[in-house]
Amino acid sequence: MEILLLAVALAMDSVAVSIAIGSKYKDLLFSRALFVSAMFGFFQAAMPIAGYFIGISFADYVQAFDHWIAFGLLVGLGSKMLYEAYKNEFDEEVTDLSNKTLISLAVATSIDAMAIGVTFAFLQTDIFSAAGVIGIVTFVLCIAAVYVGKKLGSLLESKAEMLGGIMLIGLGCKILLEHLGIL
């Protein structure tokens, strides 16, 4: 359940950009919407794996305080998402839909997932299952977001990012409280 919630939270950056894409490109073909969603899903799945292998190299050294690191990363990333939602600059991110732009957007929206991969190393999470869930959830939500964006446009962009930020902060607090024995 935690992985699913985390996947939804991580997907919110990509969802917000997908809403902006749908809003800006109302005549976007379904095949292109699938490609956009696949790009976001792929990078959201690949980045935690990269972060995991970075984190696993020093996980043994930080085991005594890894819950604090996980808490800091999740709260920091969640706070960053809330700040970005407040700035609300999504339309400026979507300058065109070239493959180069899509890859740039997919990488930019998945950097947070790399940090989560480091956290997964500390928590000894099954990285391939977690990455698969993150990728699939992102893909499905982004397809829906493109079509929601066509209908509701910029009204929902910042809301998606706010929800993701709140979820990441909540998960960070939950991990810390569990490791401290409070939950």
Side-chain angles (χ1 to χ4, degrees), residues 26-102:
K26 295 197 184 297
D27 61 343
L28 188 69
L29 297 174
F30 182 69
S31 60
R32 194 66 179 163
L34 282 176
F35 182 75
V36 166
S37 301
M39 293 298 291
F40 286 127
F42 172 78
F43 281 98
Q44 285 289 355
M47 290 297 212
I49 293 170
Y52 179 86
F53 286 110
I54 292 167
I56 203 76
S57 65
F58 58 89
D60 290 339
Y61 302 109
V62 297
Q63 192 171 22
F65 54 91
D66 60 1
H67 51 282
W68 286 103
I69 295 171
F71 170 76
L73 284 171
L74 289 167
V75 169
L77 294 172
S79 299
K80 178 179 159 274
M81 286 179 77
L82 289 173
Y83 175 73
E84 288 173 354
Y86 175 74
K87 286 186 353 184
N88 199 10
E89 298 173 348
F90 297 105
D91 288 333
E92 296 166 16
E93 293 176 358
V94 185
T95 56
D96 63 67
L97 285 184
S98 69
N99 290 347
K100 181 179 177 182
T101 298
L102 287 177

Side-chain angles (χ1 to χ4, degrees), residues 56 65 107 111 116 149 166:
I56 203 76
F65 54 91
V107 169
I111 296 295
I116 297 303
I166 290 167

Side-chain angles (χ1 to χ4, degrees), residues 52-173:
Y52 179 86
F53 286 110
I54 292 167
I56 203 76
S57 65
F58 58 89
D60 290 339
Y61 302 109
V62 297
Q63 192 171 22
F65 54 91
D66 60 1
H67 51 282
W68 286 103
I69 295 171
F71 170 76
L73 284 171
L74 289 167
V75 169
L77 294 172
S79 299
K80 178 179 159 274
M81 286 179 77
L82 289 173
Y83 175 73
E84 288 173 354
Y86 175 74
K87 286 186 353 184
N88 199 10
E89 298 173 348
F90 297 105
D91 288 333
E92 296 166 16
E93 293 176 358
V94 185
T95 56
D96 63 67
L97 285 184
S98 69
N99 290 347
K100 181 179 177 182
T101 298
L102 287 177
I103 290 170
S104 297
L105 288 170
V107 169
T109 58
S110 64
I111 296 295
D112 298 352
M114 184 181 281
I116 297 303
V118 172
T119 302
F120 285 160
F122 299 154
L123 301 175
Q124 299 175 344
T125 302
D126 176 5
I127 188 60
F128 295 107
S129 296
V133 169
I134 292 167
I136 290 167
V137 166
T138 301
F139 175 75
V140 169
L141 291 177
C142 286
I143 289 172
V146 168
Y147 288 96
V148 167
K150 287 183 177 194
K151 300 291 182 200
L152 301 176
S154 60
L155 175 68
L156 296 178
E157 292 165 7
S158 64
K159 307 281 188 281
E161 191 134 23
M162 275 191 235
L163 176 62
I166 290 167
M167 290 173 75
L168 287 177
I169 291 169
L171 286 169
C173 292

